[in-house]
Amino acid sequence: MIVVAIDGPAGAGKSTIAKALALKLGLRYLDTGAMYRAVTFAAINAKINLTDQDLVADLTRRSEMVLTNDAVFINGLDATTAIRGVQVTSAVSAVAMNSQVRTELRERQRQWVTDHKGGVVEGRDIGSVVFPDATLKVYLTASPLVRAQRRVAQSGGNVDEIAQGIAARDAQDSSRSDSPLVQTSDAAIIDTSDRSIEDVVSQLLKLVLAKS
Ligand code: DC
């Protein structure tokens, strides 16, 4: 079973590269950040205080989530657009810090890979915690300016403001006690700042094929 773990900070190119790589390998792609975002969306909708860890965790365990290559449903609601909005984006780090939520989502991520007989999985703790025995671990990064510019090109906004938001989320994701964003010593570390998607994907394809 081939499992490719792709981790890295926001705007490093994870989603684009993971999707393209999955297509080339004939595997499915799982965006674990979308799962944290979907829980955040459901908690906001249910008017749950996001700092109430037990309530948010309980909601997570009770929620049914469906992730396809381009849509996210939670409890029957199409959350695809809303999970990328400002409200969810600014609140999601609080949910991602909740250890009970992480435990539940981690189990679902492992189950998803078993059900799909492998996959390309992107997130922050995929190579370090969720799939420590992944076929290939990749840590993607890019300069802060390039990352902010990519987000603006995707969803609009002001580069300086977006850069500040990204820096704040990076700091929270890297400093939380439960499964922070880290580079593992066995990951291929790739800076995507000055490289094309095709170039990075073809490098990763070679690395996977060499290992499988
Ligand atoms: O990749 P993203 O921006 O959609 O991720 C949303 C948030 O979820 C971000 O704060 C990082 C967090 N996250 C995480 O803690 N663990 C993961 N495996 C994926 C995302």
Short mmCIF file of all heavy atoms in Angstrom, two decimals, residues 14-60:
data_model
loop_
_atom_site.label_atom_id
_atom_site.label_comp_id
_atom_site.label_asym_id
_atom_site.label_seq_id
_atom_site.Cartn_x
_atom_site.Cartn_y
_atom_site.Cartn_z
N LYS A 14 1.05 22.56 -0.84
CA LYS A 14 0.70 21.16 -0.50
C LYS A 14 -0.48 20.63 -1.32
O LYS A 14 -0.39 19.56 -1.91
CB LYS A 14 0.35 21.01 0.99
CG LYS A 14 1.49 21.28 1.94
CD LYS A 14 1.13 20.91 3.37
CE LYS A 14 -0.06 21.65 3.93
NZ LYS A 14 0.12 23.09 4.12
N SER A 15 -1.60 21.37 -1.34
CA SER A 15 -2.82 20.85 -1.98
C SER A 15 -2.61 20.62 -3.47
O SER A 15 -2.93 19.56 -4.00
CB SER A 15 -3.99 21.80 -1.79
OG SER A 15 -4.23 21.97 -0.42
N THR A 16 -2.07 21.64 -4.14
CA THR A 16 -1.89 21.54 -5.59
C THR A 16 -0.98 20.37 -5.94
O THR A 16 -1.27 19.57 -6.83
CB THR A 16 -1.23 22.85 -6.10
OG1 THR A 16 -1.94 23.94 -5.53
CG2 THR A 16 -1.26 22.94 -7.60
N ILE A 17 0.12 20.27 -5.20
CA ILE A 17 1.11 19.24 -5.49
C ILE A 17 0.58 17.86 -5.09
O ILE A 17 0.72 16.88 -5.84
CB ILE A 17 2.45 19.59 -4.80
CG1 ILE A 17 3.06 20.78 -5.55
CG2 ILE A 17 3.41 18.41 -4.75
CD1 ILE A 17 4.15 21.51 -4.85
N ALA A 18 -0.08 17.77 -3.95
CA ALA A 18 -0.63 16.47 -3.50
C ALA A 18 -1.68 15.96 -4.49
O ALA A 18 -1.70 14.77 -4.83
CB ALA A 18 -1.22 16.60 -2.10
N LYS A 19 -2.56 16.86 -4.96
CA LYS A 19 -3.61 16.44 -5.92
C LYS A 19 -2.98 15.94 -7.21
O LYS A 19 -3.37 14.90 -7.75
CB LYS A 19 -4.50 17.63 -6.28
CG LYS A 19 -5.65 17.81 -5.33
CD LYS A 19 -6.54 18.94 -5.83
CE LYS A 19 -7.42 19.44 -4.72
NZ LYS A 19 -8.11 20.67 -5.02
N ALA A 20 -2.00 16.68 -7.73
CA ALA A 20 -1.36 16.31 -9.00
C ALA A 20 -0.61 14.98 -8.84
O ALA A 20 -0.66 14.12 -9.73
CB ALA A 20 -0.41 17.41 -9.45
N LEU A 21 0.05 14.81 -7.71
CA LEU A 21 0.81 13.57 -7.48
C LEU A 21 -0.15 12.37 -7.38
O LEU A 21 0.10 11.30 -7.93
CB LEU A 21 1.65 13.70 -6.21
CG LEU A 21 2.52 12.49 -5.86
CD1 LEU A 21 3.61 12.28 -6.92
CD2 LEU A 21 3.16 12.66 -4.48
N ALA A 22 -1.26 12.57 -6.67
CA ALA A 22 -2.25 11.49 -6.50
C ALA A 22 -2.76 11.04 -7.87
O ALA A 22 -2.89 9.83 -8.13
CB ALA A 22 -3.40 11.97 -5.62
N LEU A 23 -3.02 12.00 -8.73
CA LEU A 23 -3.52 11.70 -10.08
C LEU A 23 -2.52 10.84 -10.84
O LEU A 23 -2.86 9.83 -11.45
CB LEU A 23 -3.76 13.02 -10.80
CG LEU A 23 -4.74 13.03 -11.95
CD1 LEU A 23 -6.14 12.70 -11.45
CD2 LEU A 23 -4.74 14.43 -12.60
N LYS A 24 -1.25 11.22 -10.76
CA LYS A 24 -0.19 10.48 -11.47
C LYS A 24 -0.04 9.07 -10.91
O LYS A 24 0.29 8.14 -11.65
CB LYS A 24 1.16 11.19 -11.33
CG LYS A 24 1.21 12.52 -11.99
CD LYS A 24 2.27 12.52 -13.10
CE LYS A 24 2.41 13.90 -13.68
NZ LYS A 24 2.22 14.01 -15.07
N LEU A 25 -0.26 8.93 -9.60
CA LEU A 25 -0.07 7.61 -8.98
C LEU A 25 -1.34 6.76 -9.01
O LEU A 25 -1.32 5.61 -8.58
CB LEU A 25 0.38 7.79 -7.52
CG LEU A 25 1.80 8.32 -7.29
CD1 LEU A 25 1.99 8.72 -5.83
CD2 LEU A 25 2.83 7.26 -7.68
N GLY A 26 -2.44 7.35 -9.47
CA GLY A 26 -3.71 6.62 -9.46
C GLY A 26 -4.22 6.38 -8.04
O GLY A 26 -4.89 5.40 -7.75
N LEU A 27 -3.89 7.34 -7.14
CA LEU A 27 -4.34 7.22 -5.75
C LEU A 27 -5.32 8.34 -5.42
O LEU A 27 -5.40 9.33 -6.14
CB LEU A 27 -3.14 7.34 -4.79
CG LEU A 27 -2.10 6.22 -4.82
CD1 LEU A 27 -0.92 6.60 -3.95
CD2 LEU A 27 -2.71 4.91 -4.32
N ARG A 28 -6.05 8.19 -4.31
CA ARG A 28 -6.92 9.27 -3.87
C ARG A 28 -6.10 10.25 -3.03
O ARG A 28 -5.04 9.91 -2.50
CB ARG A 28 -8.08 8.69 -3.03
CG ARG A 28 -9.09 7.91 -3.87
CD ARG A 28 -10.04 8.83 -4.60
NE ARG A 28 -10.72 9.73 -3.67
CZ ARG A 28 -11.83 9.43 -3.00
NH1 ARG A 28 -12.40 8.25 -3.14
NH2 ARG A 28 -12.39 10.31 -2.18
N TYR A 29 -6.67 11.45 -2.89
CA TYR A 29 -5.99 12.53 -2.18
C TYR A 29 -6.84 12.92 -0.96
O TYR A 29 -8.06 13.03 -1.07
CB TYR A 29 -5.84 13.70 -3.16
CG TYR A 29 -5.86 15.07 -2.56
CD1 TYR A 29 -4.72 15.57 -1.93
CD2 TYR A 29 -6.99 15.88 -2.61
CE1 TYR A 29 -4.73 16.83 -1.37
CE2 TYR A 29 -7.01 17.14 -2.05
CZ TYR A 29 -5.87 17.61 -1.44
OH TYR A 29 -5.87 18.85 -0.88
N LEU A 30 -6.20 13.07 0.19
CA LEU A 30 -6.93 13.48 1.40
C LEU A 30 -6.33 14.76 1.97
O LEU A 30 -5.14 14.80 2.31
CB LEU A 30 -6.90 12.37 2.47
CG LEU A 30 -7.60 12.71 3.78
CD1 LEU A 30 -9.11 12.92 3.57
CD2 LEU A 30 -7.38 11.63 4.84
N ASP A 31 -7.17 15.78 2.10
CA ASP A 31 -6.78 17.07 2.68
C ASP A 31 -7.23 17.07 4.15
O ASP A 31 -8.40 17.30 4.44
CB ASP A 31 -7.48 18.19 1.88
CG ASP A 31 -7.27 19.56 2.47
OD1 ASP A 31 -6.56 19.68 3.49
OD2 ASP A 31 -7.83 20.53 1.92
N THR A 32 -6.28 16.79 5.07
CA THR A 32 -6.69 16.69 6.48
C THR A 32 -7.00 18.05 7.08
O THR A 32 -7.77 18.14 8.03
CB THR A 32 -5.61 15.97 7.32
OG1 THR A 32 -4.41 16.75 7.29
CG2 THR A 32 -5.35 14.57 6.81
N GLY A 33 -6.42 19.12 6.51
CA GLY A 33 -6.76 20.46 6.99
C GLY A 33 -8.25 20.74 6.79
O GLY A 33 -8.89 21.40 7.61
N ALA A 34 -8.81 20.19 5.70
CA ALA A 34 -10.25 20.38 5.43
C ALA A 34 -11.09 19.72 6.52
O ALA A 34 -12.20 20.18 6.81
CB ALA A 34 -10.60 19.80 4.06
N MET A 35 -10.55 18.66 7.15
CA MET A 35 -11.30 18.01 8.23
C MET A 35 -11.34 18.92 9.47
O MET A 35 -12.39 19.08 10.10
CB MET A 35 -10.66 16.66 8.58
CG MET A 35 -10.67 15.69 7.41
SD MET A 35 -9.73 14.17 7.69
CE MET A 35 -10.89 13.22 8.65
N TYR A 36 -10.19 19.53 9.81
CA TYR A 36 -10.18 20.48 10.95
C TYR A 36 -11.07 21.68 10.63
O TYR A 36 -11.77 22.20 11.50
CB TYR A 36 -8.74 20.92 11.27
CG TYR A 36 -7.94 19.79 11.89
CD1 TYR A 36 -7.15 18.94 11.11
CD2 TYR A 36 -8.02 19.53 13.26
CE1 TYR A 36 -6.46 17.89 11.67
CE2 TYR A 36 -7.33 18.48 13.84
CZ TYR A 36 -6.55 17.66 13.03
OH TYR A 36 -5.88 16.60 13.60
N ARG A 37 -11.04 22.10 9.39
CA ARG A 37 -11.88 23.23 8.99
C ARG A 37 -13.37 22.86 9.06
O ARG A 37 -14.21 23.67 9.48
CB ARG A 37 -11.53 23.68 7.56
CG ARG A 37 -10.21 24.42 7.47
CD ARG A 37 -9.79 24.69 6.03
NE ARG A 37 -8.52 25.37 5.95
CZ ARG A 37 -8.38 26.70 5.91
NH1 ARG A 37 -9.45 27.48 5.90
NH2 ARG A 37 -7.19 27.25 5.85
N ALA A 38 -13.71 21.64 8.65
CA ALA A 38 -15.12 21.22 8.65
C ALA A 38 -15.66 21.16 10.08
O ALA A 38 -16.80 21.58 10.35
CB ALA A 38 -15.26 19.86 7.96
N VAL A 39 -14.84 20.66 11.02
CA VAL A 39 -15.27 20.63 12.42
C VAL A 39 -15.48 22.06 12.92
O VAL A 39 -16.47 22.35 13.62
CB VAL A 39 -14.22 19.90 13.31
CG1 VAL A 39 -14.53 20.09 14.78
CG2 VAL A 39 -14.17 18.42 12.95
N THR A 40 -14.57 22.96 12.55
CA THR A 40 -14.69 24.37 12.97
C THR A 40 -16.00 24.96 12.43
O THR A 40 -16.75 25.63 13.17
CB THR A 40 -13.49 25.18 12.43
OG1 THR A 40 -12.29 24.52 12.82
CG2 THR A 40 -13.49 26.60 12.95
N PHE A 41 -16.30 24.67 11.17
CA PHE A 41 -17.54 25.15 10.54
C PHE A 41 -18.77 24.62 11.31
O PHE A 41 -19.69 25.37 11.63
CB PHE A 41 -17.56 24.66 9.08
CG PHE A 41 -18.87 24.77 8.37
CD1 PHE A 41 -19.28 25.98 7.81
CD2 PHE A 41 -19.70 23.66 8.23
CE1 PHE A 41 -20.50 26.08 7.15
CE2 PHE A 41 -20.91 23.75 7.57
CZ PHE A 41 -21.32 24.96 7.03
N ALA A 42 -18.74 23.33 11.62
CA ALA A 42 -19.89 22.73 12.32
C ALA A 42 -20.04 23.31 13.72
O ALA A 42 -21.16 23.57 14.18
CB ALA A 42 -19.71 21.20 12.40
N ALA A 43 -18.92 23.57 14.40
CA ALA A 43 -18.98 24.12 15.76
C ALA A 43 -19.51 25.56 15.73
O ALA A 43 -20.32 25.94 16.58
CB ALA A 43 -17.60 24.07 16.40
N ILE A 44 -19.08 26.33 14.74
CA ILE A 44 -19.58 27.72 14.62
C ILE A 44 -21.09 27.68 14.36
O ILE A 44 -21.87 28.40 14.99
CB ILE A 44 -18.83 28.49 13.50
CG1 ILE A 44 -17.38 28.72 13.90
CG2 ILE A 44 -19.52 29.82 13.20
CD1 ILE A 44 -16.48 29.29 12.80
N ASN A 45 -21.51 26.79 13.46
CA ASN A 45 -22.94 26.66 13.14
C ASN A 45 -23.76 26.27 14.35
O ASN A 45 -24.89 26.72 14.52
CB ASN A 45 -23.13 25.55 12.09
CG ASN A 45 -23.13 26.11 10.70
OD1 ASN A 45 -22.96 27.31 10.51
ND2 ASN A 45 -23.30 25.25 9.72
N ALA A 46 -23.18 25.40 15.18
CA ALA A 46 -23.90 24.91 16.36
C ALA A 46 -23.78 25.89 17.53
O ALA A 46 -24.25 25.62 18.62
CB ALA A 46 -23.36 23.54 16.76
N LYS A 47 -23.10 27.04 17.27
CA LYS A 47 -22.87 28.08 18.28
C LYS A 47 -22.16 27.53 19.53
O LYS A 47 -22.47 27.90 20.67
CB LYS A 47 -24.19 28.76 18.65
CG LYS A 47 -24.86 29.45 17.47
CD LYS A 47 -25.88 30.46 17.91
CE LYS A 47 -26.46 31.30 16.80
NZ LYS A 47 -26.39 30.82 15.43
N ILE A 48 -21.24 26.62 19.29
CA ILE A 48 -20.45 26.06 20.39
C ILE A 48 -19.23 26.95 20.59
O ILE A 48 -18.59 27.37 19.62
CB ILE A 48 -20.00 24.61 20.05
CG1 ILE A 48 -21.21 23.68 20.07
CG2 ILE A 48 -18.92 24.13 21.00
CD1 ILE A 48 -20.89 22.27 19.61
N ASN A 49 -18.91 27.23 21.86
CA ASN A 49 -17.71 28.00 22.16
C ASN A 49 -16.49 27.14 21.82
O ASN A 49 -16.31 26.05 22.37
CB ASN A 49 -17.74 28.33 23.67
CG ASN A 49 -16.56 29.16 24.08
OD1 ASN A 49 -15.56 29.24 23.36
ND2 ASN A 49 -16.68 29.78 25.24
N LEU A 50 -15.65 27.64 20.90
CA LEU A 50 -14.54 26.81 20.39
C LEU A 50 -13.50 26.49 21.46
O LEU A 50 -12.70 25.57 21.29
CB LEU A 50 -13.87 27.50 19.20
CG LEU A 50 -14.76 27.70 17.97
CD1 LEU A 50 -13.99 28.36 16.84
CD2 LEU A 50 -15.35 26.38 17.49
N THR A 51 -13.51 27.25 22.55
CA THR A 51 -12.55 26.94 23.62
C THR A 51 -13.09 25.87 24.57
O THR A 51 -12.38 25.40 25.44
CB THR A 51 -12.18 28.21 24.43
OG1 THR A 51 -13.39 28.72 25.01
CG2 THR A 51 -11.54 29.26 23.55
N ASP A 52 -14.35 25.48 24.39
CA ASP A 52 -14.90 24.38 25.20
C ASP A 52 -14.49 23.04 24.56
O ASP A 52 -15.16 22.51 23.67
CB ASP A 52 -16.44 24.50 25.29
CG ASP A 52 -17.00 23.52 26.32
OD1 ASP A 52 -16.41 22.43 26.47
OD2 ASP A 52 -18.03 23.84 26.94
N GLN A 53 -13.34 22.55 25.00
CA GLN A 53 -12.72 21.40 24.34
C GLN A 53 -13.61 20.16 24.33
O GLN A 53 -13.67 19.44 23.33
CB GLN A 53 -11.40 21.07 25.04
CG GLN A 53 -10.48 22.27 25.09
CD GLN A 53 -9.07 21.94 24.66
OE1 GLN A 53 -8.65 20.80 24.66
NE2 GLN A 53 -8.32 22.95 24.29
N ASP A 54 -14.32 19.92 25.44
CA ASP A 54 -15.15 18.70 25.51
C ASP A 54 -16.31 18.78 24.53
O ASP A 54 -16.63 17.81 23.85
CB ASP A 54 -15.69 18.50 26.94
CG ASP A 54 -14.58 18.13 27.91
OD1 ASP A 54 -13.52 17.67 27.43
OD2 ASP A 54 -14.76 18.34 29.12
N LEU A 55 -16.94 19.95 24.47
CA LEU A 55 -18.10 20.09 23.56
C LEU A 55 -17.68 19.96 22.10
O LEU A 55 -18.36 19.30 21.31
CB LEU A 55 -18.77 21.46 23.77
CG LEU A 55 -19.88 21.54 24.82
CD1 LEU A 55 -20.50 22.94 24.78
CD2 LEU A 55 -20.95 20.49 24.56
N VAL A 56 -16.56 20.60 21.75
CA VAL A 56 -16.09 20.52 20.35
C VAL A 56 -15.70 19.08 20.02
O VAL A 56 -15.99 18.57 18.93
CB VAL A 56 -14.92 21.51 20.09
CG1 VAL A 56 -14.41 21.40 18.66
CG2 VAL A 56 -15.34 22.95 20.38
N ALA A 57 -15.06 18.40 20.97
CA ALA A 57 -14.66 17.00 20.73
C ALA A 57 -15.89 16.11 20.57
O ALA A 57 -15.93 15.23 19.70
CB ALA A 57 -13.80 16.52 21.89
N ASP A 58 -16.89 16.36 21.41
CA ASP A 58 -18.12 15.56 21.33
C ASP A 58 -18.79 15.76 19.97
O ASP A 58 -19.22 14.80 19.32
CB ASP A 58 -19.04 16.01 22.48
CG ASP A 58 -20.28 15.14 22.55
OD1 ASP A 58 -20.11 13.91 22.58
OD2 ASP A 58 -21.40 15.69 22.52
N LEU A 59 -18.83 17.00 19.52
CA LEU A 59 -19.41 17.31 18.21
C LEU A 59 -18.61 16.57 17.11
O LEU A 59 -19.20 16.00 16.18
CB LEU A 59 -19.38 18.82 17.96
CG LEU A 59 -19.79 19.27 16.56
CD1 LEU A 59 -21.30 19.15 16.39
CD2 LEU A 59 -19.37 20.72 16.30
N THR A 60 -17.30 16.56 17.23
CA THR A 60 -16.44 15.90 16.23
C THR A 60 -16.79 14.41 16.15
O THR A 60 -16.98 13.87 15.05
CB THR A 60 -14.94 16.05 16.62
OG1 THR A 60 -14.68 17.42 16.84
CG2 THR A 60 -14.03 15.51 15.52
#
